[in-house]
Amino acid sequence: MAKAKRQYVCQNCGSATYRWQGQCADCGEWNTLVEEAAETAFSAKHDLSKGGRTIALETLDAASPMPERMLCGIAEFDRALGGGFVAGSATLIGGDPGIGKSTLLLQAAGRLAKAGKSVVYISGEEAAAQVRLRAQRLGLGDAPVALASATSVRDILATLDRQTVDFVVIDSIQTMHSDLIDSAPGTVSQVRASAQELIRHAKDSGAALVLVGHVTKDGTIAGPRVLEHMVDTVLAFEGERSHQYRILRAVKNRFGGTDEIGVFAMGDEGLGEVANPSSLFLTDRSGDVPGSVVFPALEGTRPVLVEVQALTVRLASGATPRRAVVGWDSGRLAMVLAVLEARCGLQMGGAEVYLNIAGGYRLTDPAADLAVAAALISAFSERPVPSDAIVFGELSLSGEVRPVAHDALRLREAAKLGFSRGWGPKGMKGVNGIGVTGFGRLGELVDLMLGRD
Ligand code: TYD
Ligand code: MG
């Protein structure tokens, strides 16, 4: 009998080779190759042209029912999913350790169980007693959730087969092992095989399956990227552990958009919903302070007001100035500084620059450029931006202020929170009593703020 082929699989990207190497040839990571059993002994003798069944091909216009949705009752969670869990679908939720994945899913499981759904929660990381204690702390001690601590996929599937189940949580997929594959739990082929079996069961039985996934240092779901391809929905649970807010974001969604987020705050009784995120990120602002600007960020279709803070310190000539950024891209800060210097004549090259987004928020919206520029100009000139103003717009390298998506949405949110001025790209219209000032070029903003004509 031929010896079973061994292969070396990269634990970062999933690529396989037959020879061990120190560095993965595909993704360039070091020391990620681990020996695993090859999955199939695929023989060249297999002739694919014989023996298959013909499959019936269908048309696009045939009537098919909308998939059944299950609202878990946590509005922020349902919103991030695009309207609740879909029966027979698989959802992967990733996030840093301790961010609150188990808490969130236990809360969702408890709500669904109380609403009469049949719910199974399998923990591979915690003992059943631990999960039970947490449920009691969350006020869900009386929810009829079926709970088990298990890691064998075969046992789990045998258990699920005995009953009809609407909602299954597997916490986490990295702890599961399938006996079809002989490698350790957490390795790429184990994770893939376990997920495959669980997902197949969910599709066959019509249960909504949720897999918890660990994330690596750089924030991608640990082990195989393939896991993201196998599931229908990928959610990322983000936030700073030292801050209380958490954002649940759809990264991939076969049943809805990926532009909705759910905002939560971690408290003593688990994750609470935050219906008005702006109030969370706008820290207590006291009057007109130089270097502080409010920016209406857009998360999907949802505006969130955040405070951009800048500090500049002029140095004696010769010293190398420091640039430190928290919550924004440092490359983009360098770009805004360069545009201010080259197009507007602001000599900031010799000054130390610190930029901070308040509340531990991370900005990715390109419309933040103008708000950052305004904060820098304000800090540098020690002239405050009016505290009732919001600022947004994208900057080009030539110093033009470019229009951005959904300006009306941003202005409306600001009006709701009591702001009365909007500074942004030229051509936008005021809404709900907000007076707007449009800028075609960054120089015009500098002139206004410095009182130049
Ligand atoms: P957990 O859900 O275990 O995180 P994950 O599954 O993503 O690793 O969350 C654990 C953290 O949440 C822990 O640091 C304690 C905190 N926490 C609260 O602050 N309040 C609560 O009510 C609960 C249940 C947890
Ligand atoms: Mg956990």
Side-chain angles (χ1 to χ4, degrees):
M1 209 179 89
K3 223 172 97 204
K5 263 258 172 61
R6 306 297 303 184
Q7 61 178 355
Y8 297 90
V9 178
C10 171
Q11 302 300 303
N12 184 52
C13 69
S15 88
T17 63
Y18 288 108
R19 206 160 48 88
W20 188 86
Q21 291 161 322
Q23 185 184 24
C24 172
D26 281 320
C27 68
E29 283 292 312
W30 287 91
N31 290 328
T32 53
L33 294 183
V34 168
E35 184 175 339
E36 293 183 5
E39 274 161 53
T40 44
F42 195 80
S43 156
K45 279 188 228 147
H46 286 175
D47 184 351
L48 289 179
S49 65
K50 295 201 186 91
R53 277 184 301 125
T54 29
I55 39 179
L57 303 172
E58 300 178 32
T59 57
L60 281 177
D61 59 1
S64 49
M66 284 298 283
E68 198 185 317
R69 294 268 190 180
M70 242 188 322
L71 293 175
C72 72
I74 304 174
E76 297 288 315
F77 201 168
D78 289 332
R79 178 212 300 272
L81 286 165
F85 293 96
V86 176
S89 77
T91 303
L92 176 67
I93 171 165
D96 289 334
I99 205 79
K101 302 180 292 296
S102 306
T103 307
L104 179 66
L105 289 174
L106 193 57
Q107 284 180 268
R111 293 279 199 106
L112 282 167
K114 280 190 177 176
K117 300 283 181 196
S118 152
V119 174
V120 175
Y121 186 105
I122 310 275
S123 178
E125 302 189 335
E126 295 166 280
Q130 252 174 307
V131 180
R132 199 178 302 122
L133 277 177
R134 176 183 296 147
Q136 283 162 6
R137 256 187 62 198
L138 296 172
L140 294 166
D142 58 341
V145 176
L147 181 67
S149 174
T151 55
S152 159
V153 172
R154 187 182 291 268
D155 295 351
I156 294 169
L157 292 183
T159 313
L160 293 179
D161 266 339
R162 296 220 333 261
Q163 49 198 318
T164 46
V165 180
D166 300 314
F167 186 70
V168 187
V169 177
I170 304 287
D171 186 2
S172 64
I173 187 66
Q174 271 85 7
T175 56
M176 296 297 137
H177 73 92
S178 157
D179 52 15
L180 298 180
I181 301 272
D182 73 343
S183 47
T187 53
V188 171
S189 44
Q190 265 301 352
V191 168
R192 185 163 42 194
S194 305
Q196 215 151 35
E197 286 182 63
L198 290 164
I199 292 170
R200 189 178 318 124
H201 182 272
K203 305 253 151 167
D204 292 347
S205 69
L209 171 74
V210 182
L211 304 172
V212 174
H214 293 170
V215 297
T216 57
K217 281 186 292 254
D218 58 356
T220 53
I221 292 178
R225 228 25 226 280
V226 288
L227 207 50
E228 297 190 25
H229 295 293
M230 288 159 61
V231 297
D232 301 301
T233 305
V234 179
L235 299 173
F237 203 30
E238 307 166 346
E240 297 279 331
R241 237 177 311 168
S242 51
H243 287 86
Q244 57 160 356
Y245 88 87
R246 306 278 186 269
I247 289 181
L248 186 66
R249 195 189 297 276
V251 179
K252 158 183 175 177
N253 194 349
R254 284 188 185 147
F255 300 107
T258 52
D259 52 3
E260 292 298 352
I261 59 163
V263 184
F264 299 90
M266 181 63 96
D268 291 339
E269 295 192 344
L271 291 155
E273 300 175 50
V274 179
N276 181 3
S278 299
S279 62
L280 203 58
F281 301 117
L282 277 189
T283 45
D284 300 329
R285 286 163 27 91
S286 45
D288 292 353
V289 185
S292 157
V293 169
V294 175
F295 166 62
L298 213 60
E299 288 287 352
T301 54
R302 203 168 172 199
V304 179
L305 263 50
V306 294
E307 185 188 351
V308 178
Q309 303 166 343
L311 175 69
T312 60
V313 183
R314 275 175 237 232
L315 290 185
S317 61
T320 312
R322 235 176 97 88
R323 264 88 217 258
V325 194
V326 179
W328 207 47
D329 181 29
S330 55
R332 251 190 127 85
L333 171 65
M335 185 199 98
V336 173
L337 284 170
V339 173
L340 280 171
E341 180 131 11
R343 308 287 176 200
C344 313
L346 241 54
Q347 301 299 324
M348 294 177 122
E352 297 208 322
V353 176
Y354 300 91
L355 187 76
N356 178 40
I357 312 302
Y361 192 83
R362 231 203 113 68
L363 278 183
T364 48
D365 188 343
D369 292 353
L370 198 67
V372 170
L376 290 169
I377 301 164
S378 162
F380 193 65
S381 64
E382 295 183 11
R383 289 163 184 250
V385 170
S387 60
D388 64 346
I390 55 153
V391 187
F392 63 94
E394 187 174 344
L395 281 181
S396 73
L397 287 179
S398 61
E400 282 170 65
V401 180
R402 292 276 166 84
V404 295
H406 300 297
D407 48 0
L409 218 59
R410 299 174 199 259
L411 290 168
R412 220 172 292 136
E413 172 77 4
K416 217 160 70 188
L417 288 159
F419 289 83
S420 49
R421 287 185 238 202
W423 291 1
K426 209 167 165 165
M428 60 176 191
K429 294 193 178 60
V431 292
N432 296 3
I434 283 212
V436 293
T437 312
F439 302 95
R441 308 189 60 79
L442 182 57
E444 298 165 21
L445 175 69
V446 176
D447 292 346
L448 175 77
M449 290 182 61
L450 302 187
R452 300 201 291 224
D453 273 319

Short mmCIF file of all heavy atoms in Angstrom, two decimals, residues 132-178:
data_model
loop_
_atom_site.label_atom_id
_atom_site.label_comp_id
_atom_site.label_asym_id
_atom_site.label_seq_id
_atom_site.Cartn_x
_atom_site.Cartn_y
_atom_site.Cartn_z
N ARG A 132 -22.77 28.87 32.04
CA ARG A 132 -24.01 29.02 32.80
C ARG A 132 -23.89 30.22 33.75
O ARG A 132 -24.81 31.02 33.85
CB ARG A 132 -24.29 27.73 33.56
CG ARG A 132 -25.74 27.61 33.99
CD ARG A 132 -26.00 26.30 34.70
NE ARG A 132 -25.68 25.12 33.91
CZ ARG A 132 -24.80 24.18 34.30
NH1 ARG A 132 -24.16 24.29 35.45
NH2 ARG A 132 -24.57 23.13 33.54
N LEU A 133 -22.74 30.32 34.39
CA LEU A 133 -22.53 31.44 35.31
C LEU A 133 -22.63 32.78 34.58
O LEU A 133 -23.24 33.72 35.07
CB LEU A 133 -21.16 31.34 35.98
CG LEU A 133 -21.08 30.42 37.18
CD1 LEU A 133 -19.66 30.35 37.70
CD2 LEU A 133 -22.03 30.92 38.27
N ARG A 134 -22.02 32.81 33.40
CA ARG A 134 -22.08 34.06 32.64
C ARG A 134 -23.52 34.37 32.25
O ARG A 134 -23.96 35.51 32.34
CB ARG A 134 -21.20 33.97 31.40
CG ARG A 134 -21.34 35.23 30.58
CD ARG A 134 -20.57 35.22 29.29
NE ARG A 134 -19.14 35.16 29.47
CZ ARG A 134 -18.33 34.53 28.61
NH1 ARG A 134 -18.84 33.93 27.57
NH2 ARG A 134 -17.05 34.51 28.79
N ALA A 135 -24.25 33.35 31.83
CA ALA A 135 -25.64 33.55 31.43
C ALA A 135 -26.44 34.11 32.61
O ALA A 135 -27.28 35.00 32.45
CB ALA A 135 -26.24 32.24 30.94
N GLN A 136 -26.16 33.60 33.81
CA GLN A 136 -26.89 34.09 34.98
C GLN A 136 -26.55 35.55 35.23
O GLN A 136 -27.42 36.36 35.55
CB GLN A 136 -26.58 33.22 36.20
CG GLN A 136 -27.34 31.90 36.15
CD GLN A 136 -26.76 30.84 37.07
OE1 GLN A 136 -25.84 31.11 37.84
NE2 GLN A 136 -27.29 29.63 36.97
N ARG A 137 -25.27 35.89 35.06
CA ARG A 137 -24.87 37.29 35.25
C ARG A 137 -25.55 38.20 34.24
O ARG A 137 -25.83 39.36 34.50
CB ARG A 137 -23.36 37.42 35.09
CG ARG A 137 -22.66 37.59 36.40
CD ARG A 137 -21.20 37.89 36.19
NE ARG A 137 -20.95 39.12 35.46
CZ ARG A 137 -19.80 39.41 34.89
NH1 ARG A 137 -18.82 38.53 34.90
NH2 ARG A 137 -19.62 40.55 34.29
N LEU A 138 -25.79 37.66 33.05
CA LEU A 138 -26.42 38.45 31.99
C LEU A 138 -27.93 38.48 32.13
O LEU A 138 -28.61 39.04 31.28
CB LEU A 138 -26.04 37.88 30.62
CG LEU A 138 -24.56 37.94 30.25
CD1 LEU A 138 -24.29 37.17 28.97
CD2 LEU A 138 -24.11 39.38 30.09
N GLY A 139 -28.44 37.84 33.18
CA GLY A 139 -29.89 37.82 33.38
C GLY A 139 -30.59 36.86 32.44
O GLY A 139 -31.76 37.03 32.12
N LEU A 140 -29.85 35.84 31.96
CA LEU A 140 -30.45 34.90 31.01
C LEU A 140 -30.49 33.50 31.61
O LEU A 140 -30.59 32.51 30.88
CB LEU A 140 -29.63 34.87 29.72
CG LEU A 140 -29.65 36.17 28.91
CD1 LEU A 140 -28.56 36.16 27.86
CD2 LEU A 140 -31.00 36.35 28.25
N GLY A 141 -30.41 33.42 32.94
CA GLY A 141 -30.39 32.13 33.61
C GLY A 141 -31.59 31.26 33.29
O GLY A 141 -31.50 30.03 33.29
N ASP A 142 -32.72 31.91 32.97
CA ASP A 142 -33.94 31.12 32.73
C ASP A 142 -34.21 30.87 31.25
O ASP A 142 -35.23 30.31 30.90
CB ASP A 142 -35.13 31.84 33.36
CG ASP A 142 -35.28 33.25 32.79
OD1 ASP A 142 -34.29 33.77 32.22
OD2 ASP A 142 -36.37 33.83 32.92
N ALA A 143 -33.28 31.29 30.38
CA ALA A 143 -33.51 31.07 28.95
C ALA A 143 -33.26 29.60 28.61
O ALA A 143 -32.26 29.04 29.03
CB ALA A 143 -32.59 31.95 28.11
N PRO A 144 -34.16 28.98 27.85
CA PRO A 144 -34.02 27.55 27.56
C PRO A 144 -32.98 27.25 26.47
O PRO A 144 -33.30 26.69 25.43
CB PRO A 144 -35.42 27.13 27.12
CG PRO A 144 -36.04 28.37 26.60
CD PRO A 144 -35.43 29.53 27.32
N VAL A 145 -31.73 27.64 26.71
CA VAL A 145 -30.65 27.36 25.77
C VAL A 145 -30.08 25.98 26.11
O VAL A 145 -29.78 25.71 27.27
CB VAL A 145 -29.53 28.41 25.89
CG1 VAL A 145 -28.36 28.07 24.99
CG2 VAL A 145 -30.07 29.79 25.55
N ALA A 146 -29.93 25.13 25.09
CA ALA A 146 -29.30 23.82 25.33
C ALA A 146 -27.80 24.01 25.23
O ALA A 146 -27.29 24.49 24.23
CB ALA A 146 -29.78 22.81 24.28
N LEU A 147 -27.11 23.65 26.30
CA LEU A 147 -25.72 24.02 26.45
C LEU A 147 -24.85 22.77 26.52
O LEU A 147 -25.23 21.78 27.13
CB LEU A 147 -25.62 24.80 27.76
CG LEU A 147 -24.30 25.37 28.21
CD1 LEU A 147 -23.88 26.45 27.24
CD2 LEU A 147 -24.46 25.95 29.61
N ALA A 148 -23.66 22.82 25.89
CA ALA A 148 -22.73 21.71 26.04
C ALA A 148 -21.32 22.21 25.85
O ALA A 148 -21.08 23.19 25.15
CB ALA A 148 -23.03 20.62 25.01
N SER A 149 -20.40 21.52 26.51
CA SER A 149 -18.99 21.80 26.28
C SER A 149 -18.45 20.61 25.51
O SER A 149 -18.42 19.50 26.02
CB SER A 149 -18.29 21.96 27.62
OG SER A 149 -16.91 22.08 27.43
N ALA A 150 -18.08 20.82 24.25
CA ALA A 150 -17.65 19.70 23.40
C ALA A 150 -16.73 20.20 22.31
O ALA A 150 -16.76 21.38 21.96
CB ALA A 150 -18.87 19.04 22.76
N THR A 151 -15.90 19.31 21.79
CA THR A 151 -15.01 19.70 20.70
C THR A 151 -15.02 18.72 19.53
O THR A 151 -14.44 18.99 18.50
CB THR A 151 -13.55 19.82 21.18
OG1 THR A 151 -13.18 18.58 21.78
CG2 THR A 151 -13.36 20.94 22.19
N SER A 152 -15.69 17.59 19.70
CA SER A 152 -15.69 16.61 18.62
C SER A 152 -16.86 16.89 17.67
O SER A 152 -18.03 16.86 18.06
CB SER A 152 -15.83 15.20 19.20
OG SER A 152 -16.32 14.34 18.20
N VAL A 153 -16.52 17.15 16.43
CA VAL A 153 -17.55 17.49 15.45
C VAL A 153 -18.53 16.33 15.28
O VAL A 153 -19.74 16.52 15.15
CB VAL A 153 -16.91 17.88 14.11
CG1 VAL A 153 -17.96 18.06 13.03
CG2 VAL A 153 -16.10 19.16 14.27
N ARG A 154 -17.98 15.10 15.31
CA ARG A 154 -18.85 13.94 15.13
C ARG A 154 -19.89 13.87 16.26
O ARG A 154 -21.08 13.67 16.00
CB ARG A 154 -18.02 12.65 15.11
CG ARG A 154 -18.82 11.42 14.75
CD ARG A 154 -17.96 10.19 14.79
NE ARG A 154 -16.96 10.15 13.72
CZ ARG A 154 -17.18 9.57 12.53
NH1 ARG A 154 -18.33 8.99 12.28
NH2 ARG A 154 -16.25 9.56 11.61
N ASP A 155 -19.45 14.08 17.50
CA ASP A 155 -20.39 14.07 18.63
C ASP A 155 -21.42 15.18 18.50
O ASP A 155 -22.61 14.99 18.76
CB ASP A 155 -19.64 14.25 19.96
CG ASP A 155 -18.70 13.08 20.24
OD1 ASP A 155 -18.79 12.08 19.50
OD2 ASP A 155 -17.90 13.19 21.18
N ILE A 156 -20.95 16.35 18.10
CA ILE A 156 -21.85 17.50 17.99
C ILE A 156 -22.92 17.23 16.93
O ILE A 156 -24.12 17.44 17.16
CB ILE A 156 -21.05 18.78 17.65
CG1 ILE A 156 -20.15 19.15 18.83
CG2 ILE A 156 -21.98 19.93 17.31
CD1 ILE A 156 -19.14 20.22 18.53
N LEU A 157 -22.49 16.70 15.78
CA LEU A 157 -23.46 16.44 14.71
C LEU A 157 -24.44 15.36 15.11
O LEU A 157 -25.63 15.44 14.81
CB LEU A 157 -22.73 16.06 13.42
CG LEU A 157 -21.91 17.19 12.79
CD1 LEU A 157 -21.29 16.75 11.48
CD2 LEU A 157 -22.77 18.43 12.57
N ALA A 158 -23.94 14.33 15.82
CA ALA A 158 -24.83 13.26 16.28
C ALA A 158 -25.89 13.83 17.22
O ALA A 158 -27.07 13.46 17.17
CB ALA A 158 -24.02 12.17 16.98
N THR A 159 -25.48 14.78 18.08
CA THR A 159 -26.42 15.40 19.02
C THR A 159 -27.43 16.27 18.28
O THR A 159 -28.63 16.22 18.56
CB THR A 159 -25.64 16.27 20.02
OG1 THR A 159 -24.53 15.52 20.51
CG2 THR A 159 -26.52 16.71 21.16
N LEU A 160 -26.93 17.06 17.33
CA LEU A 160 -27.84 17.96 16.60
C LEU A 160 -28.84 17.18 15.77
O LEU A 160 -29.97 17.62 15.58
CB LEU A 160 -27.03 18.90 15.70
CG LEU A 160 -26.14 19.91 16.40
CD1 LEU A 160 -25.39 20.75 15.38
CD2 LEU A 160 -26.95 20.81 17.33
N ASP A 161 -28.42 16.01 15.28
CA ASP A 161 -29.31 15.21 14.44
C ASP A 161 -30.53 14.71 15.18
O ASP A 161 -31.54 14.37 14.57
CB ASP A 161 -28.53 14.01 13.87
CG ASP A 161 -27.95 14.33 12.51
OD1 ASP A 161 -28.48 15.27 11.88
OD2 ASP A 161 -27.00 13.66 12.08
N ARG A 162 -30.43 14.63 16.51
CA ARG A 162 -31.53 14.03 17.27
C ARG A 162 -32.70 14.98 17.48
O ARG A 162 -33.73 14.60 17.98
CB ARG A 162 -31.01 13.56 18.65
CG ARG A 162 -29.98 12.45 18.54
CD ARG A 162 -30.16 11.40 19.62
NE ARG A 162 -30.79 11.91 20.83
CZ ARG A 162 -30.11 12.27 21.92
NH1 ARG A 162 -28.80 12.18 21.95
NH2 ARG A 162 -30.74 12.70 22.98
N GLN A 163 -32.54 16.25 17.15
CA GLN A 163 -33.62 17.21 17.40
C GLN A 163 -33.65 18.23 16.26
O GLN A 163 -32.71 18.33 15.49
CB GLN A 163 -33.36 17.92 18.72
CG GLN A 163 -31.94 18.45 18.82
CD GLN A 163 -31.53 18.75 20.25
OE1 GLN A 163 -32.30 19.29 21.01
NE2 GLN A 163 -30.32 18.39 20.61
N THR A 164 -34.74 18.98 16.18
CA THR A 164 -34.73 20.10 15.23
C THR A 164 -34.17 21.31 15.95
O THR A 164 -34.58 21.61 17.07
CB THR A 164 -36.14 20.44 14.71
OG1 THR A 164 -37.01 20.46 15.84
CG2 THR A 164 -36.62 19.46 13.69
N VAL A 165 -33.23 21.94 15.32
CA VAL A 165 -32.55 23.07 15.93
C VAL A 165 -32.66 24.27 15.00
O VAL A 165 -32.50 24.14 13.79
CB VAL A 165 -31.06 22.72 16.18
CG1 VAL A 165 -30.34 23.88 16.81
CG2 VAL A 165 -30.95 21.49 17.05
N ASP A 166 -32.97 25.45 15.57
CA ASP A 166 -33.08 26.65 14.75
C ASP A 166 -31.78 27.44 14.73
O ASP A 166 -31.47 28.12 13.77
CB ASP A 166 -34.19 27.57 15.30
CG ASP A 166 -35.53 26.88 15.30
OD1 ASP A 166 -35.86 26.27 14.26
OD2 ASP A 166 -36.25 26.93 16.32
N PHE A 167 -31.02 27.37 15.84
CA PHE A 167 -29.88 28.26 15.98
C PHE A 167 -28.76 27.53 16.73
O PHE A 167 -28.99 27.00 17.81
CB PHE A 167 -30.34 29.50 16.77
CG PHE A 167 -29.30 30.59 16.89
CD1 PHE A 167 -28.94 31.35 15.79
CD2 PHE A 167 -28.70 30.88 18.10
CE1 PHE A 167 -28.01 32.36 15.89
CE2 PHE A 167 -27.77 31.91 18.23
CZ PHE A 167 -27.43 32.65 17.11
N VAL A 168 -27.58 27.45 16.11
CA VAL A 168 -26.46 26.75 16.73
C VAL A 168 -25.26 27.69 16.82
O VAL A 168 -24.90 28.34 15.84
CB VAL A 168 -26.00 25.53 15.89
CG1 VAL A 168 -24.96 24.72 16.64
CG2 VAL A 168 -27.18 24.66 15.53
N VAL A 169 -24.65 27.77 17.99
CA VAL A 169 -23.43 28.55 18.15
C VAL A 169 -22.28 27.58 18.41
O VAL A 169 -22.40 26.70 19.27
CB VAL A 169 -23.55 29.53 19.33
CG1 VAL A 169 -22.23 30.29 19.53
CG2 VAL A 169 -24.69 30.50 19.11
N ILE A 170 -21.18 27.73 17.68
CA ILE A 170 -19.97 26.94 17.92
C ILE A 170 -18.88 27.92 18.36
O ILE A 170 -18.42 28.76 17.57
CB ILE A 170 -19.50 26.21 16.64
CG1 ILE A 170 -20.60 25.32 16.08
CG2 ILE A 170 -18.23 25.41 16.91
CD1 ILE A 170 -20.88 24.07 16.86
N ASP A 171 -18.47 27.84 19.61
CA ASP A 171 -17.52 28.81 20.18
C ASP A 171 -16.26 28.07 20.62
O ASP A 171 -16.25 27.45 21.67
CB ASP A 171 -18.20 29.51 21.36
CG ASP A 171 -17.36 30.64 21.92
OD1 ASP A 171 -16.29 30.91 21.37
OD2 ASP A 171 -17.80 31.24 22.92
N SER A 172 -15.20 28.02 19.95
CA SER A 172 -14.89 28.58 18.65
C SER A 172 -14.52 27.47 17.67
O SER A 172 -14.26 26.35 18.09
CB SER A 172 -13.67 29.48 18.80
OG SER A 172 -12.57 28.66 19.19
N ILE A 173 -14.48 27.80 16.39
CA ILE A 173 -14.19 26.80 15.37
C ILE A 173 -12.76 26.27 15.51
O ILE A 173 -12.47 25.12 15.17
CB ILE A 173 -14.47 27.35 13.95
CG1 ILE A 173 -14.34 26.27 12.88
CG2 ILE A 173 -13.58 28.52 13.61
CD1 ILE A 173 -15.35 25.17 12.96
N GLN A 174 -11.85 27.09 16.07
CA GLN A 174 -10.45 26.65 16.22
C GLN A 174 -10.29 25.53 17.26
O GLN A 174 -9.26 24.88 17.30
CB GLN A 174 -9.56 27.83 16.62
CG GLN A 174 -8.99 28.58 15.43
CD GLN A 174 -9.94 29.64 14.91
OE1 GLN A 174 -10.98 29.89 15.52
NE2 GLN A 174 -9.60 30.24 13.80
N THR A 175 -11.29 25.34 18.12
CA THR A 175 -11.16 24.28 19.12
C THR A 175 -11.80 22.97 18.66
O THR A 175 -11.72 21.97 19.35
CB THR A 175 -11.85 24.68 20.44
OG1 THR A 175 -13.20 25.00 20.15
CG2 THR A 175 -11.17 25.87 21.08
N MET A 176 -12.47 22.99 17.51
CA MET A 176 -13.19 21.79 17.06
C MET A 176 -12.23 20.84 16.35
O MET A 176 -11.26 21.26 15.75
CB MET A 176 -14.29 22.20 16.07
CG MET A 176 -15.36 23.05 16.70
SD MET A 176 -16.24 22.14 17.99
CE MET A 176 -16.37 23.38 19.25
N HIS A 177 -12.52 19.56 16.45
CA HIS A 177 -11.75 18.63 15.63
C HIS A 177 -12.64 17.58 15.02
O HIS A 177 -13.61 17.12 15.61
CB HIS A 177 -10.59 18.02 16.40
CG HIS A 177 -11.02 17.01 17.41
ND1 HIS A 177 -11.10 15.68 17.11
CD2 HIS A 177 -11.40 17.16 18.69
CE1 HIS A 177 -11.53 15.04 18.18
NE2 HIS A 177 -11.71 15.91 19.16
N SER A 178 -12.29 17.26 13.78
CA SER A 178 -13.04 16.26 13.04
C SER A 178 -12.14 15.03 12.93
O SER A 178 -10.96 15.15 12.63
CB SER A 178 -13.34 16.82 11.65
OG SER A 178 -13.57 15.76 10.76
#
